Amino acid sequence: MLFGKKPGYDPDYDLKLEESLAENKYPAEKMAAARAAEHTSLCAQVCTPEVWDKYKDVVSSGPAKWTLARAINTGVMYPDSFVGCHAGDRESYDDFKDFFYPVIEKYHTGFSMKEGSPPQGTPSERMDPARITVDLSDSAKGKIASTRIRIARNLSMFPLNPGGSRESREQVAGLMAKVYARIPADSDLAGEFFLHTDISEAKRQELIDDHFLFRGKDRMQAASGYHQHWPHGRGVYLNRAKTFINWVNEGDHLRIISMEMGGDVKAVFERLSAGAKVIEEGVKAITGIDEAFMMHPKFGAVTCCPSNIGTGMRGSVHIMVPKLIKTIGFEAIDRLCRDRNCQARGTTGEHSEVLDRIDVSNWRRIGLPEYELVEDMIRCANFLADEEDKL
Ligand code: ADP
Ligand code: MG
């Protein structure tokens, strides 16, 4: 007898609204404290009482009927978040523009929503590995454990997941199952789609441990609504070599990922480019909708978190720099990366622990073609390898 518990149900995945936000009231004290703190989330910086008053009763014109209370819940509950806000549908970005535009401009330094334009050129041009003009140094190559490049994409016919339902998530997964079934069996991209509701806990953990799958149970993601209706509609597609992977409904509808051991960045980028094309064409063919991926005229790809908009691309290498970590520490390494348009993370995902290696990736996602973002990452990896060699 389950006593009303759904199979797989776990309260850690529930959406809990902060008390004031649950009553649609401005969390004045928390926001003031957050603004006064040394580390201030973009959400707290921008969502002043004036911005709140302007939008508190606004409902987005898209399918999510998104509200400002829902949009800022993560940042209010977790003042240590960096961005702390989420969109529930494409329309949210414009319907709450005095909130989202400044957040976008603060994250994507140098990008202006007034002047802005989406990435220029076709995706195949922008993701052409032949355009990458820098190489990893020999020293960097020797230190790189693995390379992974992903793009975040959402399907234009559904609300973004924070504003979605169990049904919309299952529809996304259902559509993607058809897209994957169309990939010819003799293609390198061919593989298998696993739904969380079908796989065992052991299998799920194995995929997480091998870096192939999202972890779930993230407090910030729970507060955004990413985790609602878990595990329904969640899944992962893996090609046979486990080098082309899609996450379905982690947060964004899709994370299209190319990864492999070692530092062959161009090969990884090339596979991503080919894979993204196959997915986009598959969605178009099945739905008959030409703009398969959700796009915004000003910035390009629409994602749940304003940090990912534009190209939605994060290209990373796991680089072994044990001496550097020991000598200057993670925070200092991250600052060095930020000076080079990159960031440092732990190697088991965002907010994870740092041991002997770090995840270095491009910080910028917008206003530049994808191949230039890959170049940022290569230059930063070369720099860190040199710093390690000096010690
Ligand atoms: P994302 O930007 O895709 O959300 P996360 O930081 O949440 O990335 O990491 C997701 C997963 O991808 C984690 O398991 C992480 O270890 C893995 N990952 C990221 N970069 C690499 C890499 N270069 N090599 C191997 N695994 C990686
Ligand atoms: Mg992530």
Side-chain angles (χ1 to χ4, degrees), residues 145-150 207-208 210-215 221 247 250 255 257 259-261 308 314-318 345-352 359-360 365:
S146 52
T147 304
R148 173 183 185 267
I149 312 180
R150 58 84 165 159
L207 291 170
I208 293 171
D210 290 339
H211 305 270
F212 297 137
L213 184 58
F214 46 96
R215 285 176 299 183
Q221 295 196 350
W247 290 355
E250 178 228 19
R255 290 291 174 95
I257 301 164
M259 67 194 279
E260 64 186 47
M261 302 309 280
N308 280 320
R314 193 174 83 86
S316 73
V317 288
H318 281 179
R345 290 186 181 186
T347 49
T348 53
E350 201 171 5
H351 317 128
S352 68
D359 168 323
V360 195
R365 315 236 192 281

Side-chain angles (χ1 to χ4, degrees), residues 130-203:
R131 294 186 183 212
I132 298 177
T133 57
V134 286
D135 273 322
L136 283 171
S137 64
D138 286 341
S139 167
K141 266 187 211 148
K143 294 178 173 57
I144 288 171
S146 52
T147 304
R148 173 183 185 267
I149 312 180
R150 58 84 165 159
I151 52 171
R153 287 291 183 274
N154 287 280
L155 302 171
S156 60
M157 35 292 191
F158 300 102
L160 293 170
N161 277 329
S165 56
R166 171 170 166 180
E167 204 176 27
S168 67
R169 287 169 163 95
E170 286 175 341
Q171 285 167 351
V172 167
L175 171 57
M176 291 316 297
K178 291 188 198 149
V179 172
Y180 301 132
R182 283 171 45 101
I183 299 178
D186 59 356
S187 155
D188 288 346
L189 302 175
E192 225 181 317
F193 181 39
F194 301 96
L195 280 173
H196 278 49
T197 40
D198 295 342
I199 57 175
S200 67
E201 186 51 32
K203 171 84 181 170

